[in-house]
Amino acid sequence: MGTTIFTVMSRKAEEHGAINLSQGFPDFALPAGLGEALARHVAAGRNQYAPMAGVLALREQIALKIARCHGCNVDPDDAVTVVPGATEAIFCAIMATVGAGDEVILFDPSYDSYEPSVRLAGGRAVRIPLLPPDFAIDWQRVAGAVTPRTRMIVINSPHNPTGSVLGAADLDRLEKLVQEHGLLVLSDEVYEHLVYDGAAHHSVLARPVLAERAFAVFSFGKTLHATGWKTGYCVAPPALTREFRRVHQFVTFVAVTPIQHALADFMAEAPAHVDLLPAFYQAKRDLFRRLLAGSRWRALPCAGTYFQLLDYSGIGDADDVAMAEELVSRHGVAAIPVSVFYERPPRLRLLRFCFAKQDETLVRAAELLCRI
Ligand code: GLN
């Protein structure tokens, strides 16, 4: 396993003094009150270990949010675990359930931590291609890839890096498949609130058939502009949560205590914060796309996430790693080559740009991109 592309590209952005649209993180402030809440809890002395499953007040707020957003009840005691980042939850869910020789269905492309986690668990990733421009799932192909060794399928909607979003019909197909073959589901929903153009996010938690065999993973980093706080949660039925916690207790044991208290306060005080996120990020997506209109970059559809794929075949035919290198070193903008998310990259000329940035950052970046 090499070094992740996010480390590589953010380092290069710094080296070259480039605008960093590579690694996904906002360059604007936390929501009002959140930082103050953290300072308050640190000052109040909440600086020792939390319970292994997470601070109860936060787990209760998470259960309320799930009821509000997805219309279902989860027990904060035995179905919700607070984790230091969704990455840890993904790792623990896979370690807890995938054994030597088990197969796990992943899509191609997919987020870069899934496959290494499967391999570390002794499993084998079976990749199913998602094809541009919409990167939709070919469910027939998925069904054809299931074998007696298939243990789990990993879905991710909204999808990093492509920005595609699953619809109700996709979850219908998934339901049939997992019922027929007794599969587990790992549902990475960290971008649940970043869905645009009036579309809805379809969570596995809202589907009893899926919820009873799924680990659903979420991240406060995305919803609260706080990727550096590295805090998220995993929701799974009690039997799966028990297995999950057996691994979690020996990977990190707990998430950071005062952060959990601050998040609980914020969720109680501003439950509607998440309702504003689609319009907030959609405006940024639209601004970035508008600024690039008429340039040699071609924007692909972006239904969700804070990532925009740009096709550069109108500029040149270099492979995407070389193009990203040239872009950061000669033109001052860092982006992510999409081929790194693939096991078998097709001949794509695509780079991924993060638009979770202040408007003025997007304007400056677009100016540089439009000169190419
Ligand atoms: N998820 C973020 C991205 O896709 C980065 C996460 C990381 O740096 N590991 O850019």
Side-chain angles (χ1 to χ4, degrees):
M1 288 159 200
T3 305
T4 98
I5 189 67
F6 306 115
T7 300
V8 172
M9 286 314 302
S10 278
R11 196 188 295 138
K12 281 188 197 239
E14 208 160 303
E15 246 170 62
H16 295 285
I19 301 176
N20 189 1
L21 305 190
S22 63
Q23 192 175 25
F25 62 87
D27 71 346
F28 39 82
L30 299 174
L34 185 55
E36 293 75 0
L38 176 59
R40 206 167 55 236
H41 286 291
V42 169
R46 302 212 164 82
N47 299 307
Q48 309 311 327
Y49 295 127
M52 187 262 274
V55 165
L56 182 59
L58 178 57
R59 284 182 282 134
E60 284 170 349
Q61 286 300 324
I62 291 167
L64 286 174
K65 175 190 180 286
I66 290 168
R68 182 173 171 273
C69 294
H70 306 301
C72 54
N73 293 318
V74 296
D75 186 335
D77 275 331
D78 56 17
V80 178
T81 310
V82 180
V83 291
T87 309
E88 198 240 7
I90 290 162
F91 182 79
C92 292
I94 290 172
M95 276 291 166
T97 55
V98 174
D102 285 345
E103 292 172 7
V104 177
I105 293 181
L106 303 182
F107 293 97
D108 210 23
S110 57
Y111 184 58
D112 75 336
S113 86
Y114 307 154
E115 175 145 358
S117 303
V118 170
R119 273 196 262 143
L120 285 168
R124 190 169 82 81
V126 175
R127 298 277 202 138
I128 309 287
L130 301 177
L131 299 176
D134 56 1
F135 298 96
I137 295 178
D138 177 346
W139 286 103
Q140 211 157 344
R141 202 158 173 168
V142 177
V146 175
T147 75
R149 309 251 24 187
T150 310
R151 178 87 172 121
M152 174 182 267
I153 175 167
V154 181
I155 59 166
N156 169 216
S157 178
H159 185 259
N160 183 3
T162 70
S164 65
V165 167
L166 297 182
D170 290 298
L171 293 205
D172 292 344
R173 298 293 296 268
L174 180 63
E175 271 187 15
K176 277 213 189 78
L177 200 72
V178 300
Q179 271 184 308
E180 201 175 313
H181 301 283
L183 308 181
L184 295 173
V185 178
L186 172 54
S187 183
D188 180 342
E189 303 185 20
V190 299
Y191 299 103
E192 63 172 330
H193 298 295
L194 280 56
V195 177
Y196 310 129
D197 306 311
H201 169 62
H202 295 275
S203 175
V204 294
L205 298 178
R207 302 267 190 141
V209 167
L210 295 174
E212 75 183 16
R213 46 181 74 246
F215 297 94
V217 171
F218 302 86
S219 173
F220 289 109
K222 320 292 170 188
T223 47
L224 299 179
H225 319 320
T227 60
W229 283 27
K230 286 301 296 183
T231 308
Y233 53 98
C234 175
V235 181
L240 292 180
T241 291
R242 268 197 301 280
E243 296 303 311
F244 180 93
R245 289 179 184 170
R246 279 179 215 220
V247 180
H248 166 69
Q249 68 182 336
F250 293 125
V251 176
T252 54
F253 182 58
V254 277
V256 176
T257 305
I259 287 180
Q260 295 188 62
H261 286 286
L263 291 169
D265 285 0
F266 182 82
M267 289 176 85
E269 281 158 25
H273 163 81
V274 295
D275 301 339
L276 305 174
L277 290 173
F280 175 76
Y281 275 116
Q282 185 172 322
K284 293 200 178 289
R285 178 200 66 173
D286 293 346
L287 171 67
F288 190 50
R289 292 170 68 99
R290 226 173 22 250
L291 290 165
L292 292 168
S295 75
R296 296 200 285 164
W297 298 87
R298 193 172 56 81
L300 268 61
C302 168
T305 74
Y306 47 44
F307 302 116
Q308 174 64 58
L309 295 187
L310 296 181
D311 184 314
Y312 60 88
S313 51
I315 296 170
D317 196 36
D319 71 61
D320 61 353
V321 174
M323 182 66 184
E325 176 65 45
E326 167 154 336
L327 192 62
V328 71
S329 59
R330 288 195 40 211
H331 303 286
V333 181
I336 299 283
V338 173
S339 61
V340 301
F341 298 100
Y342 279 91
E343 180 188 48
R344 284 183 296 273
R347 203 181 159 285
L348 292 173
R349 296 296 177 251
L350 295 176
L351 296 177
R352 191 200 79 175
F353 294 79
C354 174
F355 56 79
K357 305 293 168 188
Q358 298 174 51
D359 290 358
E360 77 183 43
T361 311
L362 296 176
V363 169
R364 278 193 297 124
E367 262 168 30
L368 296 172
L369 293 172
C370 286
R371 279 189 212 154
I372 302 168

